[in-house]
Amino acid sequence: MLERYIEKCVIRQVYLCEQLYEKNSVSIDHVAEQLDVCPATIINDIEKILLLLNKGIISATHEKHSYQVVFAAGYSLSELTQIIYQGSYFLQVLYQFLRGESSWQKIAEEAFISVSKVYTIRTDLWGFFEEMDYLDEEQNEVIIPEKDFRYLLLAVMHYLGKSAEKNQPCIEQACEELIQYVEQRFFLRSYPEDERRMIQLGIRIGLARGRKAPIHFLAKEKERAQRTPLFQLLHQGLTALDVSLCCSEDEQFYIYSLFNSRKYQCNNLELLHRDFEVVYHNHIHRCPEMLELSRLLKSRLNISDSNHLLFEQALLPFLRSAWADMQIFQTERLFFLYPSQREQFDQVREILMGWAQQNQQSIRWNDNLVRKLTVLLSLLPDAEKSEHLEVYIVAPSDFKYLYYRQQLEERLDEHFTLSNMIYHQLNEVVDDVFFCTKRMIVCDASLYQEGLQTENTKIYPVTFSTLASVILAINQSLYQQAEEPFPTRNEH
């Protein structure tokens, strides 16, 4: 929601920075396709990033179709993206407005922009408020529900790198003690530094607003939260602190929402699985509506049973953040889709909206998080593909056939099945009249012919020395996000 109002060039540059930081290089054509702009725009954006972040960059190399950037050690991704986000006039004006500044002249001075520019941004701001249903036309004022206000302010402060105005070491210490209390008692989970800062900043916002603008949760929302071990731990931890971090029962649920929406890690696989099982049980299995949504997504998206665990791992953080309808302003890295993924995104949104309407759930889905879910689910081959991906072997001798088959049986992914038919000529197995499902052919190089591949058939020429790399390519073909040309003999 919020990123649709932030300047497009800022969003593009943040996304490029995130991709470069994670991967060290980007394909210019691929990200241009994702962001729906021309490659020249991507090059221009990266060059602006290099100027903005010059102190944090060691080197940058521009090749014909790619850009490589090496970042200096010691700079976190959030520190770098905050520099880019600070160039957003929309965020700067929104921040001043949320702080209570009503004079557009003063907002212009605080944001270091012209008054005329402020009034232009004011139009966008009012469009945002109108879309969120915050405008009271009769009173001619903006009324933001407290849950939305806190999370909107938290997101804006995070993007701009703003900290709490008053330095209160005792509060910071109490926040850290509460985080450690949860970490030590909940399967040794660990909140990364950025996530800790978000929790602490959220608590500081709650303390600043708690008495003059109390927050409220529905009874059914409280009941769901109280069943979770996380809420019980937080309740115990808050009671044990020397400094009070909340002034009412509902403020405890607000703090719960801050922990519930953040990412965490664990360096022990067994404990990570146990953590997941407990959280999944409490957020999905014990909630009939969420369990129904999980089953609906799996069925409609044709997720195979073999991918059930990965499906649950992708789905849990998404549904967890939807508690009490607080997902709409959740912060996350930016996600954009390839054209091949956009149809699935529309399908996921349709399922989510239809489920919410049918179950009378007032959940406002965060489009960026829906895109993230789509990206993760697109990595999973669906049930239909898993059941019909057959591999055929074409070999000139029994020895070669048996050798290729033995290697394929040992190394192929479980989603493939080997045909029991033996073929000695490639043209015997490429006729789509007889083979209507998708399949792959491992063909001895001596029998390979150009131009026989079709929409349903991929052909991999092999020799004894190249077989291992071909099997790797076949396994990886399941997880390609974008369509790629079929391999040719020259590629092997």
Side-chain angles (χ1 to χ4, degrees):
M1 165 58 71
L2 191 55
E3 75 266 10
R4 288 199 285 107
Y5 287 87
I6 300 171
E7 294 84 344
K8 290 182 180 179
C9 62
V10 172
I11 291 295
R12 289 197 308 269
Q13 289 163 24
V14 168
Y15 179 69
L16 287 165
C17 178
E18 291 172 342
Q19 294 296 300
L20 287 165
Y21 190 90
E22 178 185 3
K23 303 173 183 176
N24 292 124
S25 68
V26 295
S27 164
I28 294 169
D29 294 332
H30 285 175
V31 291
E33 187 178 30
Q34 286 179 307
L35 297 171
D36 200 21
V37 295
C38 66
T41 300
I42 298 301
I43 294 171
N44 186 52
D45 283 332
I46 293 177
E47 290 174 349
K48 288 181 179 178
I49 290 172
L50 299 180
L51 289 174
L52 280 171
L53 308 180
N54 63 317
K55 292 182 179 179
I57 293 175
I58 295 176
S59 65
T61 306
H62 178 200
E63 297 179 355
K64 185 176 181 181
H65 296 292
S66 66
Y67 235 116
Q68 294 86 36
V69 176
V70 178
F71 291 92
Y75 284 87
S76 69
L77 178 58
S78 60
E79 288 175 315
L80 298 171
T81 57
Q82 283 164 1
I83 295 172
I84 302 173
Y85 274 125
Q86 286 164 12
S88 168
Y89 293 146
F90 179 83
L91 285 177
Q92 296 284 4
V93 171
L94 176 57
Y95 173 64
Q96 296 299 328
F97 185 89
L98 293 175
R99 290 183 64 213
E101 186 56 71
S102 58
S103 166
W104 297 102
Q105 176 72 42
K106 290 184 178 179
I107 289 177
E109 293 173 359
E110 290 290 335
F112 300 104
I113 56 179
S114 66
V115 176
S116 60
K117 184 67 176 176
V118 164
Y119 280 105
T120 300
I121 298 168
R122 181 184 181 276
T123 302
D124 295 334
L125 197 59
W126 251 241
F128 169 67
F129 290 151
E130 184 175 11
E131 183 176 354
M132 294 301 301
D133 200 25
Y134 296 156
L135 281 181
D136 187 329
E137 296 181 0
E138 292 184 3
Q139 301 293 328
N140 193 29
E141 61 179 338
V142 176
I143 301 176
I144 305 177
E146 184 61 19
K147 286 195 296 189
D148 284 14
F149 187 97
R150 294 190 189 187
Y151 267 82
L152 180 57
L153 179 59
L154 177 60
V156 172
M157 292 181 72
H158 170 68
Y159 290 142
L160 296 177
K162 302 290 185 181
S163 57
E165 295 183 0
K166 294 181 180 180
N167 184 22
Q168 296 176 292
C170 60
I171 298 297
E172 293 178 8
Q173 177 63 28
C175 290
E176 181 59 26
E177 288 178 9
L178 183 61
I179 294 171
Q180 291 180 12
Y181 188 91
V182 172
E183 289 178 325
Q184 294 164 5
R185 291 164 175 79
F186 207 156
F187 302 113
L188 296 181
R189 64 169 56 175
S190 172
Y191 291 92
E193 194 57 40
D194 279 351
E195 304 298 322
R196 302 174 100 82
R197 282 197 292 266
M198 288 291 290
I199 293 172
Q200 291 178 11
L201 183 57
I203 292 175
R204 295 288 294 271
I205 290 172
L207 284 170
R209 296 185 58 81
R211 298 193 183 279
K212 64 179 180 181
I215 196 168
H216 298 288
F217 292 90
L218 300 176
K220 62 180 181 180
E221 295 168 346
K222 294 181 182 181
E223 183 182 353
R224 278 189 58 195
Q226 286 171 328
R227 293 201 304 256
T228 67
L230 176 59
F231 180 84
Q232 295 165 17
L233 274 176
L234 286 168
H235 178 72
Q236 295 166 10
L238 287 166
T239 304
L241 293 175
D242 293 331
V243 177
S244 175
L245 294 181
C246 53
C247 59
S248 69
E249 180 190 61
D250 281 60
E251 293 294 337
Q252 288 191 38
F253 289 95
Y254 167 65
I255 292 177
Y256 164 78
S257 76
L258 294 171
F259 278 82
N260 183 55
S261 63
R262 304 322 306 171
K263 293 179 291 189
Y264 54 86
Q265 302 167 339
C266 181
N267 60 6
N268 182 295
L269 183 59
E270 181 182 351
L271 292 178
L272 181 65
H273 282 312
R274 289 170 60 190
D275 186 314
F276 171 78
E277 289 171 359
V278 168
V279 177
Y280 195 90
H281 175 74
N282 282 282
H283 281 273
I284 295 181
H285 276 295
R286 295 185 67 178
C287 180
E289 296 89 353
M290 288 298 181
L291 186 59
E292 177 194 346
L293 177 56
S294 173
R295 290 170 175 167
L296 190 62
L297 284 165
K298 185 181 177 184
S299 172
R300 292 276 299 277
L301 298 175
N302 206 19
I303 304 295
S304 68
D305 289 338
S306 61
N307 286 308
H308 183 67
L309 180 60
L310 288 174
F311 168 72
E312 290 181 339
Q313 290 276 2
L315 185 63
L316 179 58
F318 177 79
L319 294 185
R320 198 179 68 209
S321 67
W323 177 79
D325 188 30
M326 301 182 81
Q327 186 188 92
I328 188 68
F329 296 128
Q330 296 285 342
T331 57
E332 176 60 273
R333 279 180 44 207
L334 293 172
F335 287 85
F336 289 94
L337 306 175
Y338 289 105
S340 59
Q341 296 170 319
R342 291 169 191 164
E343 182 178 348
Q344 188 177 38
F345 169 81
D346 292 337
Q347 188 180 8
V348 171
R349 267 199 66 86
E350 180 186 349
I351 294 169
L352 293 172
M353 299 295 286
W355 168 86
Q357 183 176 6
Q358 183 176 350
N359 290 275
Q360 299 180 330
Q361 298 281 336
S362 57
I363 297 178
R364 296 161 299 171
W365 305 107
N366 181 314
D367 277 352
N368 187 51
L369 294 183
V370 178
R371 288 195 296 271
K372 177 184 178 181
L373 179 63
T374 302
V375 168
L376 295 177
L377 296 182
S378 71
L379 298 174
L380 308 180
D382 62 33
E384 181 179 353
K385 291 179 182 175
S386 298
E387 293 168 2
H388 293 91
L389 280 173
E390 287 190 280
V391 178
Y392 294 80
I393 302 171
V394 179
S397 67
D398 291 345
F399 178 84
K400 281 193 171 183
Y401 172 83
L402 291 172
Y403 178 82
Y404 292 154
R405 185 177 184 89
Q406 177 184 326
Q407 296 299 310
L408 288 164
E409 286 176 338
E410 291 178 358
R411 303 186 187 187
L412 266 186
D413 188 281
E414 62 182 358
H415 299 291
F416 296 97
T417 58
L418 282 173
S419 170
N420 289 323
M421 296 297 293
I422 301 175
Y423 297 93
H424 298 298
Q425 296 295 329
L426 183 58
N427 57 11
E428 295 176 354
V429 72
V430 295
D431 192 344
D432 280 346
V433 172
F434 297 103
F435 299 96
C436 57
T437 58
K438 292 186 180 295
R439 65 198 184 282
M440 296 180 177
I441 300 172
V442 173
C443 176
D444 186 82
S446 65
L447 302 175
Y448 180 79
Q449 301 173 54
E450 296 280 359
L452 292 182
Q453 296 189 109
T454 68
E455 183 179 351
N456 283 334
T457 302
K458 286 187 178 182
I459 305 174
Y460 294 85
V462 297
T463 63
F464 289 143
S465 61
T466 65
L467 181 59
S469 62
V470 169
I471 294 174
L472 177 62
I474 293 174
N475 286 332
Q476 289 178 337
S477 69
L478 278 175
Y479 307 103
Q480 291 172 348
Q481 295 183 6
E483 294 183 2
E484 298 178 0
F486 288 164
T488 66
R489 187 175 188 177
N490 293 333
E491 290 175 301
H492 297 276

